Amino acid sequence: MKLVLIGCPGAGKGTQAKILSKHFGLAHISTGDLLREQVKSETPLDLKLKSIMESGGFVSDDIVSELLSQRIKADDCKNGYILDGYPRNVSQAEGLSAIVGELDRVVDIEVADELIIERMSGRRSCGGCGAMYHVKYNPPKAEGICDSCGGKLITRSDDVPETVKHRLDVYHSQTAPVIDYYNKKGIVLKIDGSKPIDEVSKELTELLEKL
Ligand code: AP5
């Protein structure tokens, strides 16, 4: 199965992708995670990318598409994958068909902008294994410590309210048209992402099991 999860920053793409990936045995590919891993080398190009990401803008299509093309060749993608954060504009969507052919479904996780600032300011992620938490909606057992690996929980530098507002603007102008692009192909599933995490995943799993 080849799935794409689309939704504004904080809609829950990463959270749901992790759950679905375990349930269906699919690889979870987050272009945000691939880029955060890439910029750790701190070459001059990496530093440029890091500053674009911290400002909430998009990294160039060429760079992200190359990272994606390489990742998709890995063995764990043979049974299918879930793309989280790609495509993010119509040009990436057009390029994606050339790389992977037809998709099975595009899941549009809908959440109103008003809910997003609170979600983002409460997000914590594990610097070790990447597990995701929220101080209110999905707290770890011990504050600041990952339940899975005991790693330290961190706050992402692009989760400050001003940057989140900019990321929402960029989402509405550049990513929302991708949903229309896939609507014309008749493969979009819409999900209310404002419900609690387990309700969203239950609904989504049931819909995808019917495919
Ligand atoms: P990326 O990492 O992809 O960021 P994003 O798309 O802005 O999405 P987020 O990861 O912030 O949110 P999410 O929807 O995954 O929500 P999550 O599950 O974490 O990209 C970062 C940057 O990289 C971009 O800004 C750009 O610069 C660059 N980039 C990446 N891809 C690119 C591309 N294709 N082209 C160009 N540039 C690219 O949930 C958020 C919080 O809410 C968590 O704390 C979670 O626990 C909580 N939560 C989740 N669901 C619920 C729920 N139902 N109820 C209550 N709380 C919930």
Side-chain angles (χ1 to χ4, degrees), residues 14 19 43 47 60-61 65 72 77 82 90-91 94 99 109-110 117 121 128 134-135 183-184 186 208:
I19 297 170
T43 63
L47 294 176
S60 83
D61 291 352
S65 303
I72 266 173
C77 293
I82 303 168
V90 172
S91 152
E94 288 165 351
I99 304 172
I109 306 179
E110 296 182 303
I117 302 284
S121 52
H134 190 281
V135 291
N183 261 330
K184 288 183 191 132
L208 293 171

Side-chain angles (χ1 to χ4, degrees), residues 6-18 28 30-33 35-36 49-50 52-61 64-65 84-89 92 109 111 116 118-125 132-139 156 158-159 163 167 170-171 192-200:
I6 293 193
C8 66
K13 302 180 293 296
T15 301
Q16 296 301 329
K18 283 182 174 65
H28 169 202
S30 152
T31 45
D33 288 346
L35 284 162
R36 279 184 287 277
L49 299 184
K50 199 172 173 186
I52 295 172
M53 291 168 74
E54 282 177 348
S55 73
F58 284 177
V59 167
S60 83
D61 291 352
V64 189
S65 303
D84 155 13
Y86 190 99
R88 251 177 156 89
N89 57 33
Q92 289 183 8
I109 306 179
V111 180
I116 293 300
E118 188 204 8
R119 276 204 190 174
M120 301 306 250
S121 52
R123 168 162 59 182
R124 301 290 180 271
S125 54
M132 192 73 69
Y133 299 90
H134 190 281
V135 291
K136 182 169 162 192
Y137 302 117
N138 181 25
R156 262 169 55 176
D158 57 349
D159 279 350
T163 311
R167 287 163 65 197
V170 175
Y171 171 79
D192 178 359
S194 63
K195 292 181 184 170
I197 295 173
D198 53 348
E199 280 186 37
V200 178

Side-chain angles (χ1 to χ4, degrees), residues 106-170:
V106 170
V107 177
D108 173 18
I109 306 179
E110 296 182 303
V111 180
D113 287 7
E114 294 73 44
L115 286 181
I116 293 300
I117 302 284
E118 188 204 8
R119 276 204 190 174
M120 301 306 250
S121 52
R123 168 162 59 182
R124 301 290 180 271
S125 54
C126 176
C129 69
M132 192 73 69
Y133 299 90
H134 190 281
V135 291
K136 182 169 162 192
Y137 302 117
N138 181 25
K141 290 185 185 115
E143 196 184 328
I145 307 289
C146 177
D147 294 350
S148 309
C149 75
K152 198 174 162 211
L153 300 186
I154 52 172
T155 303
R156 262 169 55 176
S157 54
D158 57 349
D159 279 350
V160 292
E162 274 319 302
T163 311
V164 172
K165 281 182 198 148
H166 179 58
R167 287 163 65 197
L168 284 169
D169 288 343
V170 175

